[in-house]
Amino acid sequence: QNKTKVQAGEDMEADGGGAFKTVILVGGPSKGTRFRPLSLDSFPKPLFPIGGKPMIEHHIEACTSIEGMKEVLLLGFDEEEAFKPFIKEMVEKYKVPIRYLPERSEMGTAGGLHNFESEILNTPLEAFFVLHCDICCSFPLKEMLAFHKSKAASSAGGGGAVGTLMGSTVKAEYAHHYGCLVEDEEHYLTHYAEKPTTFVSDLINSGIYLFSPRIFRHIGEAVARNAKEAELPEPVDFLRQSWMEIVRAKDQVRLEQDILIPLSEKKLVFVYRNPSFWRSIKNAGSSVYCNDLYLNMYAQKNKAMLAKPGNYNVIGNVIVHPTAVVDPTAVLGPNVTVGANVVIGAGVRILNSIILDSANIKARACIVYSIIGWNCIIGQWARIAGEMNPTPDLYLNKQRKGICIVGRESVAAPEIVVSNCLVMPHKTLTASFHDEILL
């Protein structure tokens, strides 16, 4: 049966020239723990606004601009109801069918693709994109597609390649946080190491892939291999294995470790080098730095997205929702996004921050390197401040250093200072706090 499905996929590739789909891996509740407190109250991380749009709208906007894009599929194990209003809005806006496919459990990044192979290949396709939801970049998908086509056509044996992944360059000291890539002079992936303990490369996996339908043959082989291993007793090394490695189910298939490593050994994947910015959105505070990247992109390519000085003071790149009310004496920017129905009082100063819908920032308050949650109230003369730390290392000398985050419907009393803190939802703060997690 698997052979028949694979053969059908290969036939579809031959017949589906110019037809594409996109699969966005959106995860689910257990994947949002590092995004707390913003992911609490059952708010899906993929819908968190960055750069004035839900996180995955940037993905959808990019892939729907590709000619021949037939459908966008969201794969995850969140409640489908949480995505329905968003999907309806995106279909109306971008005029491409979008569906949510719920996984029965956490199946791994390739396991979900395997499970929904028939949905992905229900029409003839030339290729399909796979995007992780928790990344921020300019999404140069058109350029990546052109690169893949040119390499597959010109490289020796290129017809056997099953895909292209996008690589981005990072500082060498942070490369070990990511999957590291080694490519040859023809841009074939020759080695892949997931979060290595020693330096391998400063070129990392960006979480963006373009696959031929033939990738399902290799995913099927990995599924069969895992199933065979599951039948054998396996000793557990509690000293060397992480808890996640011990409890990981055998039916989980990881795109990175279980698929890319074998493919790199066979030289079946190309590496497309990202020409622009890239950042992972693993924790809530990283949203502020990603917000800055998107606002800078708008300043270069879509200035209409940005607020202009006029009724209030703007410094640098700022987005203000049309329904927000901002006092003329307030000063916003740089790198500020203000959501719907926000009220900002007289003399307020906000920089490098995200203010979510319906928050109320009272007169003379100061917000710096912070995220203020939905329906929060920040009192007069209060100061909410995080510490700039754009590195992947959130803890320095066992002390958290990063964005200050105030959870949904919390209240900060007038004249208090809250610095470098995580504030859980529905808290009322009547005193100053520093370097704490406020439960």
Side-chain angles (χ1 to χ4, degrees):
Q1 182 181 5
N2 185 56
K3 182 177 180 180
T4 302
K5 290 170 68 178
V6 170
Q7 185 61 52
E10 294 174 354
D11 292 342
M12 282 188 171
E13 182 181 3
D15 298 336
F20 306 95
K21 285 189 180 184
T22 296
V23 178
I24 304 177
L25 307 176
V26 299
S30 67
K31 289 291 187 183
T33 54
R34 285 182 290 185
F35 212 70
R36 293 173 179 171
L38 299 176
S39 60
L40 294 173
D41 294 330
S42 300
F43 185 83
K45 173 183 173 180
L47 302 185
F48 183 80
I50 302 176
K53 301 176 182 180
M55 186 188 300
I56 60 171
E57 184 176 347
H58 298 280
H59 303 55
I60 293 172
E61 181 180 18
C63 67
T64 55
S65 68
I66 294 175
E67 185 177 355
M69 185 59 61
K70 300 301 182 182
E71 188 177 36
V72 177
L73 301 173
L74 310 182
L75 264 61
F77 42 97
D78 233 319
E79 291 294 331
E80 185 177 0
E81 290 296 320
F83 284 88
K84 276 189 174 180
F86 169 77
I87 290 175
K88 181 180 179 181
E89 180 184 350
M90 293 299 99
V91 170
E92 293 174 354
K93 185 173 182 179
Y94 295 107
K95 311 303 181 186
V96 171
I98 302 174
R99 287 189 292 151
Y100 183 87
L101 301 178
E103 300 179 44
R104 64 179 184 273
S105 61
E106 189 173 349
M107 307 176 70
T109 45
L113 298 178
H114 176 73
N115 187 56
F116 291 109
E117 177 182 347
S118 60
E119 296 288 344
I120 297 170
L121 299 182
N122 61 5
T123 58
L125 296 179
E126 178 179 336
F128 63 99
F129 288 93
V130 177
L131 313 177
H132 283 272
C133 78
D134 54 354
I135 55 173
C136 158
C137 68
S138 60
F139 294 99
L141 303 185
K142 292 180 181 178
E143 296 84 351
M144 184 176 176
L145 176 59
F147 169 87
H148 175 76
K149 288 183 175 182
S150 66
K151 295 301 296 180
S154 63
S155 297
V162 295
T164 294
L165 63 82
M166 191 174 87
S168 298
T169 302
V170 298
K171 291 184 178 180
E173 59 264 38
Y174 303 132
H176 67 280
H177 289 278
Y178 310 101
C180 295
L181 314 176
V182 177
E183 61 174 348
D184 65 13
E185 63 278 359
E186 293 184 322
H187 301 290
Y188 279 107
L189 178 68
T190 58
H191 182 63
Y192 183 91
E194 182 67 21
K195 298 179 181 177
T197 55
T198 59
F199 179 76
V200 172
S201 169
D202 63 354
L203 183 65
I204 65 158
N205 181 8
S206 302
I208 297 179
Y209 311 93
L210 174 62
F211 288 127
S212 154
R214 286 177 288 121
I215 189 64
F216 285 108
R217 176 185 295 276
H218 301 276
I219 296 176
E221 291 172 354
V223 170
R225 186 167 57 247
N226 282 9
K228 186 175 181 180
E229 291 176 356
E231 297 174 357
L232 302 174
E234 181 177 345
V236 176
D237 188 339
F238 290 97
L239 295 179
R240 295 182 181 273
Q241 290 180 279
S242 69
W243 175 246
M244 289 301 295
E245 289 173 328
I246 294 171
V247 302
R248 186 175 70 87
K250 289 298 183 181
D251 61 351
Q252 289 188 26
V253 184
R254 301 162 297 177
L255 186 58
E256 293 76 14
Q257 294 96 322
D258 297 326
I259 307 300
L260 289 183
I261 291 177
L263 291 182
S264 68
E265 296 169 353
K266 300 175 183 177
K267 296 181 69 172
L268 291 177
V269 177
F270 296 115
V271 178
Y272 169 73
R273 284 185 172 253
N274 176 22
S276 187
F277 65 88
W278 180 91
R279 186 179 176 91
S280 173
I281 316 175
K282 290 301 182 185
N283 57 66
S286 59
S287 302
V288 170
Y289 306 112
C290 294
N291 192 67
D292 189 16
L293 293 172
Y294 280 134
L295 266 57
N296 285 331
M297 182 179 71
Y298 296 152
Q300 299 171 16
K301 298 182 179 181
N302 189 9
K303 290 187 177 180
M305 287 285 297
L306 302 177
K308 299 177 181 178
N311 297 330
Y312 41 84
N313 301 291
V314 172
I315 299 174
N317 301 325
V318 174
I319 290 178
V320 178
H321 194 275
T323 61
V325 178
V326 183
D327 189 274
T329 61
V331 181
L332 310 181
N335 181 26
V336 170
T337 296
V338 177
N341 302 309
V342 169
V343 178
I344 298 177
V348 167
R349 182 71 177 100
I350 305 177
L351 58 156
N352 295 298
S353 298
I354 297 173
I355 313 299
L356 296 173
D357 295 356
S358 301
N360 190 335
I361 315 299
K362 301 291 188 180
R364 307 305 187 287
C366 181
I367 314 292
V368 183
Y369 282 109
S370 298
I371 299 175
I372 306 301
W374 302 270
N375 300 295
C376 284
I377 299 175
I378 307 301
Q380 295 182 3
W381 292 101
R383 179 180 177 89
I384 313 295
E387 297 186 39
M388 180 180 179
N389 177 22
T391 76
D393 297 314
L394 189 58
Y395 284 84
L396 302 175
N397 298 322
K398 298 184 179 181
Q399 174 63 54
R400 180 188 178 275
K401 179 182 179 182
I403 301 301
C404 190
I405 302 173
V406 182
R408 179 192 298 269
E409 296 182 3
S410 292
V411 177
E415 301 183 19
I416 67 170
V417 176
V418 180
S419 65
N420 194 31
C421 289
L422 295 180
V423 182
M424 295 298 113
H426 316 293
K427 293 288 294 183
T428 297
L429 308 180
T430 58
S432 295
F433 294 92
H434 308 277
D435 306 326
E436 294 190 43
I437 298 177
L438 303 173
L439 301 176

